[in-house]
Amino acid sequence: MSTALQPALSQVLLASARHIQDVLQGASLTDCLAQTPAPLRAASQAHSFYCLRHLGLAQELRQLLVPRQPKEAWFDALMLQALLLVDVAVQVQADKNVFADRPETPVYSVHTVVDQAVEAAQSQRSMRPLKNLLNAVLRRFIRERSALLEKAQRKPQARWNHPMWWIRALKKAYPSQWQTILQVANIPAPLTLRVNQRRCSVARMLALLEQAGIEAWSPAEPTIVLAQARPVQQIPAFDLGWWSVQDHSAQLAGQLLPLADGMRVLDACAAPGGKTAHLLEQADIELIALDADAQRLTRVHENLARLGLDGAHVQIQAAEAQAVAQWWDGKPFDAILADVPCTASGIVRRHPDIRWLRRATDVTATAALQQQILQALWGTLKPEGHLLYVTCSIFPEEGQQQIDHFLTQQADAVLLPQSPLQRLPTVDTPEQAGGDGFFYALLQKRPN
């Protein structure tokens, strides 16, 4: 991509600063990016992702350089972004690829970053009185970078770039693995595809990618991992419905739930429809796809249509899974996929804002909701039927502890030997299927 087509760095910094400010005030980065003008979106996403993956370090550096919290939230967010971008420029001069997930992002010299950050402050009336402070802070960081980084990284939140409550929770749950989990969380995840085997084989899709000059590999059926992420429209056969974007760990849902033609199946928390489609690709079933968010169910319709699954026996409904009386017709299900709401602590590689949006109290709140959903859905399952409980979480309160509690409450529930399966975030390689953090538990109801 030609750098001449790129927006000015000062504009990108301002857009990214807005994103960081909004996330710190509780907004989803996905929602922020959706409201960003198209010419700025890709570059501001790359910079925002990088900043959120290193926000703990940025906040500690700002504290060392400017001990008093600036009153202007925008200015503070711009400073955080600019400090990291200066560090990026220094690292790139040392031949480090810091934008591995978006190599098309242009990299600027250190002095260009400083000049453009000051220009960004100059362009905003509320920031103009602080532009000299910003200039002085950034130039001091350049002079004292090594010493400042060494001092900042003595603080756990700066070293690991997660909130302290999160770090403590992982230390307690995974005393021998917590450091690796935190390190992997800051490695950008690859673009992973699930091949729609009703329309295409993995071998055929790999051949098509090779023909298009796209490096990719398959660590396991039906997964393909791209060496370099790119817009889906640039990948062959998207419009033909030959594949979907889905992390390898998430693909296990469609493989672990036992299905056979003719079964009546419930996908209890379906949107945006990746797992719904996978179930329909596995067998000719009668499926009810349920989700509390009617707006997000639009994506389910779109995904099924693209994959050629909209003609299947599927009914899409907007309802809360635990409010069984509002949506269930009284006919029991042979199989249920309960991919329940959670903290999403296992997918921070792809969504680095999550760690800064969550609070320790969220774990307790989501665990309580999961318990309600699990208890409610169990009553809709046939004797000898299967329920697959799923969360994209690595906190035991939403996984193993949840299932342990459920088994004490339900005498007719059996935990099958192939589960539970707590997958921790793992780096993807051609030799090993990696993936996000997920918890799976396959339950079967005892016969009457």
Side-chain angles (χ1 to χ4, degrees):
M1 182 180 295
S2 171
T3 55
L5 300 177
Q6 294 291 332
L9 178 58
S10 60
Q11 295 177 309
V12 175
L13 282 167
L14 283 175
S16 302
R18 286 192 187 96
H19 298 159
I20 303 308
Q21 178 194 1
D22 289 346
V23 167
L24 291 175
Q25 292 178 348
S28 159
L29 180 59
T30 300
D31 293 341
C32 297
L33 289 168
Q35 300 170 18
T36 303
L40 287 170
R41 194 171 299 142
S44 67
Q45 176 177 324
H47 289 92
S48 296
F49 269 45
Y50 188 82
C51 188
L52 290 166
R53 287 192 180 108
H54 300 84
L55 187 58
L57 175 61
Q59 289 174 325
E60 184 59 29
L61 287 171
R62 197 266 297 146
Q63 180 65 26
L64 291 173
L65 290 161
V66 187
R68 295 181 61 184
Q69 174 78 28
K71 293 181 181 179
E72 296 80 1
W74 258 47
F75 179 78
D76 192 38
L78 175 62
M79 184 183 294
L80 296 173
Q81 184 73 26
L83 281 170
L84 288 173
L85 204 54
V86 166
D87 193 46
V88 163
V90 173
Q91 290 186 62
V92 169
Q93 288 177 349
D95 295 325
K96 294 183 180 180
N97 184 7
V98 294
F99 286 133
D101 52 340
R102 281 195 173 268
E104 75 274 16
T105 302
V107 177
Y108 304 88
S109 72
V110 174
H111 296 294
T112 297
V113 173
V114 176
D115 291 343
Q116 288 293 291
V118 174
E119 176 62 29
Q122 172 66 27
S123 70
Q124 303 298 308
R125 181 178 298 178
S126 63
M127 293 190 198
R128 285 174 194 164
L130 299 169
K131 67 175 186 179
N132 290 334
L133 171 63
L134 180 63
N135 184 56
V137 167
L138 295 179
R139 293 188 184 280
R140 181 187 165 195
F141 177 56
I142 294 170
R143 294 193 305 271
E144 304 176 26
R145 175 178 172 273
S146 295
L148 286 165
L149 287 172
E150 191 276 332
K151 187 173 183 179
Q153 289 174 339
R154 295 173 192 168
K155 298 289 182 71
Q157 184 164 316
R159 181 180 178 185
W160 300 111
N161 290 292
H162 284 73
M164 275 307 306
W165 73 265
W166 192 302
I167 297 171
R168 292 190 189 102
L170 293 186
K171 276 187 177 182
K172 180 180 178 181
Y174 307 101
S176 64
Q177 298 168 286
W178 67 272
Q179 293 176 313
T180 300
I181 296 170
L182 291 170
Q183 289 169 345
V184 172
N186 269 349
I187 299 173
L191 184 64
T192 305
L193 311 182
R194 184 194 76 241
V195 175
N196 178 2
Q197 294 182 307
R198 284 185 177 261
R199 292 196 163 186
C200 179
S201 67
V202 169
R204 186 179 181 188
M205 190 64 213
L206 283 171
L208 190 60
L209 291 170
E210 183 179 9
Q211 186 179 355
I214 298 174
E215 183 182 354
W217 64 87
S218 176
E221 295 273 348
T223 305
I224 290 179
V225 178
L226 271 61
Q228 180 56 59
R230 62 188 63 217
V232 294
Q233 293 80 7
Q234 296 180 13
I235 303 172
F238 174 74
D239 293 334
L240 297 175
W242 286 12
W243 52 268
S244 298
V245 174
Q246 189 178 45
D247 177 78
H248 176 71
S249 293
Q251 294 180 25
L252 296 179
Q255 300 171 25
L256 288 174
L257 186 63
L259 297 177
D261 291 352
M263 278 186 172
R264 178 174 162 87
V265 181
L266 173 67
D267 184 356
C269 305
K275 296 181 182 68
T276 308
H278 198 185
L279 296 178
L280 293 168
E281 291 168 13
Q282 296 288 87
D284 293 323
I285 56 178
E286 177 188 340
L287 179 69
I288 294 180
L290 202 67
D291 201 273
D293 191 335
Q295 201 167 20
R296 294 184 73 220
L297 284 173
T298 303
R299 291 277 306 280
V300 179
H301 286 284
E302 293 170 351
N303 284 327
L304 295 185
R306 183 180 64 82
L307 295 166
L309 299 168
D310 49 337
H313 297 291
V314 57
Q315 180 183 346
I316 299 174
Q317 289 184 242
E320 294 184 342
Q322 67 272 33
V324 172
Q326 296 180 11
W327 57 266
W328 188 41
D329 60 6
K331 185 179 178 182
F333 295 98
D334 297 291
I336 297 174
L337 174 61
D339 184 7
V340 296
C342 68
T343 57
S345 56
I347 60 173
V348 292
R349 296 192 309 163
R350 301 181 187 280
H351 300 280
D353 54 327
I354 287 173
R355 69 190 81 174
W356 308 111
L357 292 171
R358 299 290 181 264
R359 302 292 181 265
T361 52
D362 293 337
V363 181
T364 304
T366 57
L369 176 59
Q370 292 157 7
Q371 191 176 124
Q372 291 176 22
I373 293 173
L374 194 50
Q375 292 283 356
L377 293 180
W378 192 251
T380 71
L381 185 66
K382 283 182 179 179
E384 300 189 17
H386 295 88
L387 184 149
L388 182 64
Y389 173 84
V390 185
T391 68
C392 55
S393 176
I394 55 176
F395 294 136
E397 295 89 337
E398 301 179 279
Q400 185 66 61
Q401 291 178 23
Q402 188 70 262
I403 294 302
D404 290 344
H405 175 78
F406 180 74
L407 291 172
T408 65
Q409 302 296 308
Q410 295 293 155
D412 60 348
V414 179
L415 181 64
L416 295 184
Q418 59 264 48
S419 66
L421 176 62
Q422 178 66 75
R423 289 182 63 91
L424 297 174
T426 309
V427 176
D428 306 74
T429 69
E431 296 77 29
Q432 173 182 297
D436 293 331
F438 270 77
F439 178 84
Y440 288 98
L442 183 61
L443 302 167
Q444 186 172 29
K445 182 178 279 192
R446 296 182 194 274
N448 294 331

